[in-house]
Amino acid sequence: AAKDLVVVGSLNCDLVLPVKRVPQPGETLAADGMDTVPGGKGANQAAGGAKLGHPTHFVGQIGTDANASLLRASLQEAGAKLEHLREVPGPSGTAIIILQSNGENSIIIVGGANQAEWILSDAAKAEVSKAGAVLLQREIPEHVNVEVAKLAKAANVPVYMDAGGMEGPLDPQILACLTLLSPNETELNRLTNMPTENEEQIEAAAKMLQGMGVEAVLVKLGAEGSLFLPGKGQPPIRQRAIKADKVLDTTGAGDCFTAAYTVAILEGMDTKAALQFASAAGSICVQRAGAMPSMPSRADVEALLASTK
Ligand code: RIB
Ligand code: NA
C-alpha cells in the first residue's frame, strides 16, 4: 500500500464576500452577503488528499476561538488525521476572500495561530520522516517549512510544495529539498521576477525556477491546464484542463490540484495520468462553492475521468 501523505501548513476561516468586481481605491461596494467557510491552503490540501481516500495527516496550528471548531470539524469530516493538530491560545487564521461573480478571487490572510510560535512535536517529526510524501505551502513561518523539508529530505521522503501564500523569495534551503514546486502564474512571476504573460514566458520562468535547485516544476494555469517540467533535461509536458461546465468559485482549486497530483504520484500513477487526475479534481472543485467544502471525493474524480474517456 502507498504510504501516508503528511501535509504541514495553515488553516483559515474564510470570510467570503461575493461582489460583482473588486472595489477601486476610494470606492465603496456592497457585498452580496458574507459566508464563513473552512479553508487555509494547508487544511484544504489535507482535506483534498483525505477526500480522495488517501491516508492523510495534517500538521498545523489552530486557535481557541469559535472558528476553531468549524475548522477542526470539517477536516475531520474530510477524513484527515488530526493527531498533530496543535491548539494555541488566540484566534485561528482568517482569510478575507473577495469573490467576483466570474469565480475569480482575491485573498488577504491574517496569520493568527498559523503564525504563532510553532512547536513541531517529536511525534509530528516522526510522522514526516516515515511519510510517503510531505506537502507544504507558504502560509506558516518559513523556518518551519525549512525544518520539515530538511527532515523529510534526510529521510528520503519526497517534498512537494505549493507556492501559494506569502510573497518573497523561497529560502534556498527549501529549494534544495524540493522534489516538486507548484506555482500558479502569479506565484511563478513573484518567485522569478520574470514575466508570465504567455506560454513561452511561463516556460522560461519555470526553467529559471528549476535552475534555482528544484527538481520538478508544475505550473498551474487554471482553465489553461498545466505545464510540467520533469527535470534532468526531460521535455516539458503540457496538459490541457478538463473543462468545467460552469466556474462558480475557484477558491481552493489550486490546493485541490496540488493535493490530487501528489496523491496520484504517491499511489504510483505516471506523470500524464497524475496530471489528468489532478485536472479532473480541479475541474470539479471550481464548480463548487468555498474552499475546503469543494474538495471532490475519489468517486467524483473517477466518474469525471470515465466520462471524458
Ligand atoms: O488557496 C485558497 C485558500 O487561500 C483559502 O482557503 C484561504 O484560506 C487562503 O489560505
Ligand atoms: Na471551489
Side-chain angles (χ1 to χ4, degrees), residues 10-15 37-42 44-45 93-97 105 107-109 114 139 162 164-165 250-255 290-292:
S10 57
L11 302 124
N12 290 325
C13 183
D14 291 352
L15 302 181
V37 184
K41 295 188 201 303
N44 294 340
Q45 291 175 27
T94 304
I96 308 290
I97 302 189
N105 61 58
I107 305 181
I108 299 173
I109 55 174
N114 300 312
E139 288 184 336
D162 186 301
T250 58
T251 314
D255 299 327
M292 223 192 287

Side-chain angles (χ1 to χ4, degrees), residues 248-253 282 284-295:
L248 181 69
D249 180 358
T250 58
T251 314
I284 297 169
C285 187
V286 299
Q287 299 180 60
R288 298 181 180 168
M292 223 192 287
S294 65
M295 299 297 142

Side-chain angles (χ1 to χ4, degrees), residues 256-306:
C256 176
F257 186 94
T258 309
Y261 180 82
T262 305
V263 162
I265 294 295
L266 198 43
E267 295 183 358
M269 284 184 214
D270 65 28
T271 307
K272 276 243 153 194
L275 290 172
Q276 186 74 1
F277 185 80
S279 165
S283 160
I284 297 169
C285 187
V286 299
Q287 299 180 60
R288 298 181 180 168
M292 223 192 287
S294 65
M295 299 297 142
S297 70
R298 187 75 170 217
D300 293 336
V301 174
E302 279 169 1
L304 177 57
L305 284 172

